[in-house]
Amino acid sequence: MTFGESIQTCFSKYADFSGRASRSEYWWWVLFVFLVTVATGIVSDKLSALLSLAVMLPGLAVGARRLHDIDKSGWLQLLYFIPLLGWAILVYWAIQEGKEPNRF
């Protein structure tokens, strides 16, 4: 999946928590959000905050779909609330290949 396809897919599945997301779809989305957040942060803090709110739901959705691809529940994103350890676990899972077959 290319950068543009990934962004288009994530916005078209804005609040779709079902299904699966490939590694490329997830990581292109993460890069897009990072770059746009940095760019809007340079322009205005308020604009950056608005952007963060706008991409929060699709970010959670693509994260849940990515976890589904490795046969894990999307609820495991709650590990982000555990500093360092939770983040490290989720990044480790996000770089793994998808599992076949899985329940999602």
Side-chain angles (χ1 to χ4, degrees), residues 1 12 22-23 25 29 38-39 41 43 47 63 76 93 97 99:
M1 181 170 283
S12 67
S22 65
R23 281 189 296 182
E25 179 183 348
W29 174 257
V38 168
V43 174
L47 183 60
L76 289 172
W93 284 340
E97 283 191 43
K99 294 184 180 176

Side-chain angles (χ1 to χ4, degrees), residues 17-34:
F17 288 83
S18 62
R20 299 163 66 175
S22 65
R23 281 189 296 182
S24 60
E25 179 183 348
Y26 177 77
W27 288 110
W28 283 125
W29 174 257
V30 169
L31 178 64
F32 168 75
V33 170
F34 174 76

Side-chain angles (χ1 to χ4, degrees), residues 12-72:
S12 67
K13 295 181 176 183
Y14 195 86
D16 185 7
F17 288 83
S18 62
R20 299 163 66 175
S22 65
R23 281 189 296 182
S24 60
E25 179 183 348
Y26 177 77
W27 288 110
W28 283 125
W29 174 257
V30 169
L31 178 64
F32 168 75
V33 170
F34 174 76
L35 292 175
V36 173
T37 302
V38 168
T40 56
I42 291 170
V43 174
S44 166
D45 288 338
K46 289 181 184 179
L47 183 60
S48 181
L50 284 173
L51 173 83
S52 295
L53 284 174
V55 298
M56 183 174 61
L57 191 57
L60 289 172
V62 74
R65 292 192 313 268
R66 179 69 201 126
L67 286 171
H68 290 171
D69 193 42
I70 60 167
D71 202 27
K72 304 231 182 277

